[in-house]
Amino acid sequence: MSIKKIGVLGAGSMGGGIAHLAAARGFEVVLCDVEQRFVEGAVKRIAGFMDKSVVKQKMTVDEKEAALKRITITTNMEDFASVDLVIEAIFEDLEIKKSAFEKLDKICEPHTIFGSNTSSMSITALAAATNRPDKVVGLHFFNPPLIMRLVEVIRGYYTSDETVKLASEVSQGMGKTPVVVQKDTPGFIVNRIMMPQFLEAIRIVEEGIATPADIDTAVKLGLNYPMGPFELMDFTGVEISVHVADYLFNESRDRKWNAPEPLKALVRAGRLGKKTGAGWYDYK
């Protein structure tokens, strides 16, 4: 089996970025979200990014137009009936994702592979909502998908070797480097390493040891990271860190994953990072 047509469920920054990657690399794409304005907005953003690539001579005008023609937008999941792979990139809520996978299972052909872009949730639990658990796999792209080179390919309990192979090949076809997570564990690889750094950075602020700005500077200059923890939380969305920390805590009951109060306070205040104009920092 080869993957030629990809469905992307969710037209936000991640879903839109994945659709952009797939179309630019020659895959046919069906991009779906709950409202027409979301999918139209995603295509407008994709076209804008491609315009910049044309200016930088990274693609031609003809290549841009051909890529955009490979994207079909829809608000109807029934339009995924003919795809070879669905990549789910919707809100990080396990029950919402399971409901989507249950619907997809009834719509898609038996050969269709289901991939989830979840950053930490159980692939096995998602697969249990389908009658094809061997064809369900984690496909965790990183934000922003156009720039970040990694894709975590996560095995669920029943994920077949063939599914892992095809998911890895698709990742490579999009110009990414796949790493296989052999065991379906909360947080996978990157978030399991990154979240303790986020939480410890917040505790350093709580203890009055240093400010977010000084911690970011220390991490960038001392560890050679491109962004500090507070900058990165603001970039990806502060609420994402709360969701991931809560999920890790609920799965393990280990207090090291307990989200510190300042993190939860930001979410309550609607300070979700750059997208709202304020997070750990103000952007207005």
Side-chain angles (χ1 to χ4, degrees):
M1 176 183 169
S2 62
I3 306 295
K4 295 180 180 178
K5 192 172 185 179
I6 297 174
V8 180
L9 181 61
S13 60
M14 290 303 299
I18 294 167
H20 180 165
L21 279 171
R25 291 282 178 154
F27 295 96
E28 295 292 324
V29 177
V30 178
L31 178 61
C32 179
D33 211 317
V34 292
E35 293 186 29
Q36 187 72 13
R37 62 190 177 101
F38 295 150
V39 287
E40 289 178 352
V43 171
K44 185 177 180 180
R45 292 194 304 273
I46 292 168
F49 285 129
M50 288 184 177
D51 284 337
K52 292 178 183 177
S53 295
V54 171
V55 170
K56 294 177 182 178
Q57 297 185 331
K58 293 183 177 180
M59 72 186 314
T60 67
V61 173
D62 287 345
E63 287 171 339
K64 171 201 164 185
E65 294 301 326
L68 289 174
K69 286 179 181 177
R70 285 192 284 269
I71 302 174
T72 301
I73 60 174
T74 183
T75 58
N76 186 355
M77 286 173 61
E78 297 285 341
D79 291 328
F80 285 150
S82 62
V83 305
D84 303 309
L85 165 68
V86 177
I87 301 176
E88 168 272 309
I90 61 177
F91 187 68
E92 282 288 273
D93 181 289
L94 186 62
E95 293 307 313
I96 292 174
K97 289 179 184 289
K98 285 170 66 177
S99 176
F101 272 61
E102 186 176 0
K103 292 175 184 175
L104 287 168
D105 194 47
K106 297 172 183 175
I107 293 168
C108 296
E109 294 291 333
H111 74 270
T112 304
I113 292 170
F114 295 165
S116 176
N117 188 57
T118 181
S119 60
S120 61
M121 293 182 176
S122 172
I123 303 305
T124 305
L126 294 176
T130 76
N131 291 309
R132 64 184 83 198
D134 60 313
K135 292 182 174 61
V136 179
V137 65
L139 270 172
H140 181 209
F141 291 77
F142 288 78
N143 194 19
L146 295 177
I147 296 173
M148 301 298 283
R149 294 174 292 174
L150 179 68
V151 173
E152 289 179 322
V153 177
I154 304 104
R155 286 183 181 272
Y157 189 89
Y158 292 107
T159 308
S160 69
D161 291 342
E162 178 67 11
T163 297
V164 170
K165 178 176 177 289
L166 287 167
S168 298
E169 288 174 352
V170 166
S171 303
Q172 291 170 331
M174 292 189 196
K176 302 304 175 184
T177 298
V179 294
V180 178
V181 182
Q182 299 288 357
K183 184 178 179 182
D184 185 15
T185 185
F188 313 136
I189 297 171
V190 172
N191 273 329
R192 187 159 172 182
I193 293 170
M194 184 175 68
M195 284 306 299
Q197 297 179 359
F198 281 2
L199 301 181
E200 191 61 24
I202 298 167
R203 292 179 185 121
I204 290 172
V205 172
E206 275 189 302
E207 293 170 22
I209 296 169
T211 65
D214 281 346
I215 292 168
D216 281 345
T217 298
V219 167
K220 286 186 289 185
L221 301 184
L223 297 176
N224 204 29
Y225 287 12
M227 300 175 75
F230 296 98
E231 291 173 315
L232 186 52
M233 280 186 273
D234 276 358
F235 181 78
T236 58
V238 175
E239 80 284 6
I240 300 298
S241 294
V242 175
H243 291 315
V244 174
D246 286 348
Y247 183 77
L248 292 169
F249 176 75
N250 290 332
E251 287 292 306
S252 67
R253 295 300 171 182
D254 188 331
R255 290 188 61 80
K256 74 178 181 181
W257 300 116
N258 193 30
E261 187 59 32
L263 179 61
K264 293 186 282 189
L266 283 182
V267 174
R268 294 189 196 108
R271 295 175 64 99
L272 306 182
K274 282 194 169 184
K275 62 188 173 186
T276 60
W280 292 104
Y281 299 102
D282 289 312
Y283 298 96
K284 295 178 180 177

